[in-house]
Structure formats: structure tokens, C-alpha cells
Amino acid sequence: MNKNNEYDILLNKYIKLLFEKNRLIMREGPYIESRYLFHFGHLMIKELNHNKNIKILKIKQDVYENYFGLKREKEIRNIEKQIEVKTELLTKQIRELEKKCEASKEILEMREKNEDKKDLVDSLFFDVVSIMHPNIYNLKSEALWDKAKKAYLNYDVSTLTLLKNLNVKKIKNYDISDLKNNIFLLENEVMCMKRRYPYYLENNLSSDEWIDSYNKEINNRIKKLEVEEQRIFEKLV
């Protein structure tokens, strides 16, 4: 095979992988996670809240058992301090999950609103990747690339069309061995990404049977937590 032809074939393969990685990170990952949170986010928040409530009750139980006889004001201060410290992580997880659930609604709405433009936007973004991705071109600044990513996220056809027609001349000089190595590394990176959260959930979320089964699983955990919470509460009353 002619070296120039081989180089062009390898470069095109590298561009496809760069596009695929960016598509997974910017488009498919958030969308899959949003679908997951649409089905289970409210239950996950409920489960975390029960875990937090149980921890709070256990803290109160421990204080009452070990500091019996102290003045009530001191008991209250001690309990409040312990609760704040020992539930800090759970409180943070709940807040972050609530924010993610809110953001996921916007992602799902935007996807639905622009479903008819999705293939066109992907095609335009591929063209943009091929003429200005920082791994391929020596850009003076990444402002244009940042603009391209923003346009891709917003399904902005006009901006992507404009950017794909720009002429970015300073292409990086790879030799064939470098390109082959980059392709090998990127292929493995993309493959590993697809095995991780949230990408591996894509097939599961297409199955009503799996959704129902996992819904029952979370609800069963919640019921057990409710029983535990009630048991501890009754001890304190």
C-alpha cells in the first residue's frame, strides 16, 4: 500500500475515533444517565434520605445512651454537631443527585425537541472534528474548538455549518507509527468507556422488563430501610 494512502486511511480512522469519543462524552453519556435518572432518580433520592434519617436516629440513640443526665442544652448541641459531621457526605450526595435529576430533565427535553436534527448535527460535528480537533491541528487557541463543542451540545446547525467551512491549516505532523499507536490507545479508551457507567446501561434501559425489575429492587431496599428507621425511632420515643 502506498504510504500516503495508508497515512490518509489511518488519519481518517483516528478522526472517527476522536468523533466517537466526543460523541459519547458530550451526547450519549449525559443522555443515557438522564434516562436512568428519569426512571430511578426519585427512588435513589428517597433511599439516600432514609439512610440519612437512620444515621441521624442512631446518632441520637448513641448520645442519649452515653450522655444520659447531661443538661438538655448540652445534649442538643452535641447531637446537632454530630449529625452535621456524620451526615455531611450523605447530605452532599442527596443535593448532587437532586441537581442531576433537574439537569437530566433539560437534557431529555432538548433531545426530544431536536431528535429530527440529531443525525445532521452528528454529521456536521464529525466534519468539524476533522478540520479543527486539537489532537490533529495546532490551534493558536482552543476557542474555536470550544465553540464547536458548545454548538454540538445545543444542536446549533448554523454554527457547526459555519465552522466546518473554516480552513485550519496547521495540521500536526504524525508519522505512521505514531498514528497507529494513537489509534490503538483511543480504540481501547472508547471500548473501556462503553463498559463503564452510564454507557453500559443503554441496553438495559431499552428493556421494560429490566426497568421493572430494578424498580422493584430499589423499592425493596427502601422498604427494609423504612422498617429499620421505624424500629430505631420507636426505641427513642
Side-chain angles (χ1 to χ4, degrees):
M1 183 188 290
N2 183 289
K3 280 198 171 183
N4 287 334
N5 288 340
E6 183 182 7
Y7 185 88
D8 289 342
I9 290 168
L10 289 170
L11 183 61
N12 189 52
K13 186 175 183 179
Y14 188 43
I15 288 167
K16 287 179 179 178
L17 285 166
L18 288 170
F19 164 75
E20 178 66 5
K21 178 183 174 180
N22 280 276
R23 185 186 70 86
L24 287 171
I25 291 171
M26 289 192 284
R27 178 65 54 73
E28 296 309 311
Y31 175 62
I32 294 167
E33 184 176 43
S34 295
R35 288 172 61 201
Y36 177 69
L37 293 175
F38 171 79
H39 290 290
F40 308 112
H42 63 292
L43 291 174
M44 293 162 66
I45 291 170
K46 189 175 181 180
E47 185 177 13
L48 283 172
N49 274 312
H50 279 300
N51 276 308
K52 181 179 176 179
N53 290 339
I54 288 171
K55 182 159 280 194
I56 290 170
L57 288 170
K58 285 182 176 179
I59 292 167
K60 290 180 177 180
Q61 186 180 47
D62 181 63
V63 171
Y64 291 158
E65 288 175 355
N66 293 287
Y67 296 93
F68 181 77
L70 290 175
K71 290 182 179 179
R72 184 163 180 78
E73 293 81 4
K74 189 171 182 180
E75 285 181 358
I76 291 170
R77 286 198 302 271
N78 188 42
I79 290 171
E80 289 175 347
K81 184 178 179 182
Q82 286 199 46
I83 287 172
E84 184 181 351
V85 171
K86 293 184 178 180
T87 64
E88 182 180 2
L89 179 58
L90 279 168
T91 300
K92 183 180 178 183
Q93 288 175 336
I94 291 166
R95 286 174 183 166
E96 288 178 351
L97 187 52
E98 287 173 340
K99 287 179 182 177
K100 275 191 171 185
C101 286
E102 282 302 310
S104 71
K105 293 176 186 176
E106 296 178 11
I107 291 170
L108 291 173
E109 286 171 3
M110 181 172 279
R111 176 75 163 234
E112 184 178 356
K113 181 181 175 182
N114 294 284
E115 189 63 36
D116 60 330
K117 294 196 291 186
K118 179 180 170 295
D119 291 342
L120 173 59
V121 169
D122 278 354
S123 176
L124 289 169
F125 187 60
F126 176 83
D127 291 339
V128 171
V129 169
S130 70
I131 62 103
M132 69 169 60
H133 193 284
N135 282 29
I136 302 172
Y137 289 86
N138 291 308
L139 305 175
K140 290 182 178 178
S141 110
E142 292 193 12
L144 282 176
W145 174 238
D146 291 338
K147 190 173 183 178
K149 290 190 290 184
K150 184 178 178 181
Y152 182 57
L153 286 171
N154 292 322
Y155 298 86
D156 185 347
V157 171
S158 59
T159 298
L160 288 172
T161 302
L162 179 67
L163 290 171
K164 86 163 199 168
N165 290 318
L166 292 178
N167 186 14
V168 182
K169 294 180 179 179
K170 294 184 178 179
I171 190 166
K172 291 182 178 180
N173 293 319
Y174 291 110
D175 59 34
I176 286 179
S177 61
D178 286 339
L179 263 182
K180 286 180 177 178
N181 185 57
N182 287 350
I183 288 167
F184 172 78
L185 293 173
L186 198 49
E187 279 178 331
N188 279 282
E189 185 179 356
V190 169
M191 182 173 62
C192 289
M193 280 176 63
K194 290 180 178 179
R195 293 173 180 167
R196 295 197 302 264
Y197 175 87
Y199 305 99
Y200 72 86
L201 291 168
E202 185 172 17
N203 290 333
N204 290 338
L205 290 168
S206 299
S207 166
D208 291 338
E209 184 179 350
W210 182 86
I211 290 170
D212 288 342
S213 174
Y214 194 57
N215 190 293
K216 288 175 184 176
E217 182 181 325
I218 299 178
N219 273 303
N220 285 336
R221 293 203 304 261
I222 289 171
K223 286 176 184 176
K224 289 178 182 179
L225 290 172
E226 286 173 340
V227 171
E228 174 72 358
E229 190 177 335
Q230 183 63 28
R231 183 187 67 79
I232 301 170
F233 176 75
E234 288 174 354
K235 276 189 169 185
L236 289 172
V237 175

